[in-house]
Amino acid sequence: MQRRLKAGDIVLIAALLLPLAVALPRLGGLAGPPELWLTWVGKVTGILGLAMMLLAGAVSCRVPGFDRPFGGLARLWRLHHWLGFAAFILVMVHALALGLAAVPASLDAAVATLFPPLSHGAIWLGWLAWTALVVFLAPTFDFFGQPHYQRWKRLHLVSAAALLLGLWHALLLAGEAWPWWLLGIAGLGAIAWRKGLAPGRRHPYRVEEVVPLARGVVELVLRPEGGGIRHEAGQFVYLSPLDETLSAGRGEEHPYTIASAPADGRLRIGIKDLGDASHALQTVTPETRVLIEGPYGEFFGRRFPERDMLWLGGGIGITPFVGGARDLASGAEVAGRVQLIYLARDESRAYYREELEEIAGRVEGFTFTRHYSREQGRMTEAFLREHCPDFIEREIYLCGPPAMNAHLQRLLAEQGVPASRIHSEVFDFL
């Protein structure tokens, strides 16, 4: 089952193909001896590889709202991730093809093509760009194990050097330079924004209250200092705590889903103890400051769809649905019925259960159902049909641990639910 391209995808594809379209008339055709078409392949893969590198930088800008044409920030980060990986592969093919094209002349000619005298600065700029690419991509793709988050962020600054060196390499060799200037400004400008200007645009908040929900789970209630942010149900923010007594994570930014209704004057964020930073936030000091960046994401879209919905939430992945339920309770209009099924291990791990039951009791068209795996096992088709007989016709939203999401995706696909009506957002990116 295929998902439709997003508007942002079309723009990205057009930008990727732009330098190739400009260069193609000068590259000639594929006819002739192997060394000619190997040279053609080498040049084409080099153009596409560098274009992907620059576009991977461009989509990393993380400007609030920029992610929406791409289907949300989680999806945009996955595009960024795979653009970088594809760029690495294409750059390797670029060098290999150009070297092999010179082999029929002699082995010395092939070596000289790849490693000419230092006076051929454009070629060595390309190798320096490749080296920088290897340095920052190695931890990203777990070549040496799962990277430490903050160490990875610092090392990722090497990407700016890779883009700058690669752009310089292309400008010295390209016949038409203007496409590279456009992509270079987009890629390097995004990094400059991300590392230079964006941190100064974060919104200050105060921790008004730390509400325990269960062992290792709290809800932070944040009071804005100033205007605060405007958000929609299901979106998320990056939170940077400034509490000097924290054991870890002070000044670090991490993504958390907003659990408050858009109309709420406070920002409420559910946080589960899943690492050093989230563990420290369990005991953050009230009245200390935090910085908020966002909002991001497009989980529910710009508004609820005009059809019945089924929400399937588990673990701390219940938070976007808590925000959605609170939105309904505050008077948000919805065209159809909404059923929330909460997948938890048992009652003690069903955070927000009492509040969700209370909302279901007073909001017409909103139904709340519990599923406890300790008693009932994994979610089954039979359970869905018993509690939501028309689930195949509904718009379905999933949020929870990756294993739960994968199981539900398979289950729903097996029942014939179109992929276009299954929406999921998982923070499985750094």
Side-chain angles (χ1 to χ4, degrees):
M1 293 179 288
Q2 299 294 321
R3 295 184 185 273
R4 289 184 299 175
L5 287 175
K6 306 288 185 181
D9 300 337
I10 297 171
V11 174
L12 205 60
I13 292 169
L16 173 63
L17 295 179
L18 174 63
L20 181 60
V22 172
L24 271 178
R26 293 182 176 83
L27 298 184
L30 290 171
E35 55 266 30
L36 288 182
W37 64 261
L38 278 171
T39 299
W40 188 90
V41 168
K43 291 179 178 179
V44 168
T45 52
I47 291 169
L48 291 176
L50 178 57
M52 285 184 177
M53 284 175 58
L54 293 168
L55 288 172
V59 300
S60 70
C61 63
R62 217 171 78 189
V63 176
F66 178 77
D67 58 311
R68 304 201 71 156
F70 296 89
L73 190 61
R75 185 174 181 273
L76 190 58
W77 273 132
R78 286 193 289 274
L79 285 172
H80 165 81
H81 186 93
W82 288 110
L83 279 170
F85 181 73
F88 176 76
I89 297 299
L90 288 173
V91 169
M92 291 297 298
V93 174
H94 163 67
L96 180 62
L98 292 179
L100 289 175
V103 167
S106 72
L107 187 58
D108 288 342
V111 172
T113 298
L114 295 179
F115 306 103
L118 292 178
S119 58
H120 292 66
I123 305 301
W124 288 104
L125 285 170
W127 281 116
L128 288 173
W130 177 83
T131 302
L133 191 65
V134 170
V135 168
F136 79 84
L137 281 183
T140 300
F141 293 100
D142 300 350
F143 291 166
F144 307 109
Q146 181 68 25
H148 180 273
Y149 181 69
Q150 296 303 321
R151 193 178 304 123
W152 169 85
K153 286 186 65 179
R154 290 190 294 271
L155 186 61
H156 221 60
L157 286 173
V158 178
S159 64
L163 297 191
L164 184 60
L165 291 164
L167 180 62
W168 195 356
H169 168 77
L171 290 173
L172 290 174
L173 297 175
E176 291 281 353
W178 65 267
W180 294 117
W181 280 115
L182 287 178
L183 295 184
I185 290 170
L188 292 168
I191 294 175
W193 162 267
R194 177 76 254 127
K195 300 302 179 183
L197 298 175
R201 297 175 62 86
R202 294 170 182 164
H203 299 267
Y205 279 75
R206 292 272 178 185
V207 178
E208 185 171 275
E209 190 178 1
V210 181
V211 182
L213 299 177
R215 181 172 53 85
V217 184
V218 298
E219 181 179 82
L220 300 188
V221 182
L222 307 176
R223 180 181 70 250
E225 289 190 330
I229 66 168
R230 299 178 64 182
H231 70 89
E232 298 169 8
Q235 291 192 293
F236 67 93
V237 295
Y238 279 83
L239 181 149
S240 305
L242 303 180
D243 185 351
E244 294 184 359
T245 68
L246 288 177
S247 59
R250 181 178 181 273
E252 296 179 4
E253 57 175 22
H254 292 273
Y256 299 102
T257 301
I258 302 169
S260 50
D264 195 337
R266 301 292 186 264
L267 199 62
R268 302 172 190 272
I269 298 175
I271 299 177
K272 185 176 182 179
D273 181 356
L274 294 172
D276 292 344
S278 56
H279 174 75
L281 284 174
Q282 305 296 306
T283 55
V284 67
T285 306
E287 293 305 317
T288 56
R289 295 176 77 239
V290 300
L291 297 177
I292 295 294
E293 185 180 343
Y296 301 104
E298 197 180 37
F299 188 50
F300 290 117
R302 297 190 181 274
R303 62 189 182 91
F304 294 130
E306 295 183 359
R307 66 161 68 227
D308 291 345
M309 290 180 281
L310 172 60
W311 298 350
L312 297 164
I316 200 61
I318 195 65
T319 46
F321 302 120
V322 173
R326 287 170 168 172
D327 195 18
L328 295 176
S330 69
E333 294 184 3
V334 59
R337 298 167 298 161
V338 178
Q339 177 151 0
L340 169 59
I341 299 181
Y342 195 160
L343 290 78
R345 187 177 63 196
D346 52 43
E347 187 173 294
S348 69
R349 307 308 293 174
Y351 332 124
Y352 297 104
R353 175 184 55 83
E354 293 181 357
E355 181 181 356
L356 291 169
E357 289 176 338
E358 186 273 330
I359 292 174
R362 63 186 175 88
V363 174
E364 184 179 357
F366 178 68
T367 307
F368 176 67
T369 305
R370 294 165 290 169
H371 178 280
Y372 296 147
S373 60
R374 178 168 287 179
E375 301 171 6
Q376 299 163 293
R378 302 179 80 182
M379 173 65 70
T380 63
E381 174 200 353
F383 185 94
L384 286 175
R385 292 197 180 279
E386 178 183 354
H387 296 278
C388 187
D390 63 341
F391 73 92
I392 292 178
E393 282 74 44
R394 295 197 179 206
E395 204 79 16
I396 301 178
Y397 296 82
L398 316 175
C399 192
M404 184 203 90
N405 272 26
H407 170 68
L408 292 175
Q409 292 269 11
R410 288 193 300 270
L411 177 61
L412 294 169
E414 289 169 357
Q415 301 309 309
V417 180
S420 61
R421 284 201 278 107
I422 302 175
H423 312 276
S424 178
E425 189 165 70
V426 181
F427 297 156
D428 56 355
F429 56 93
L430 285 172

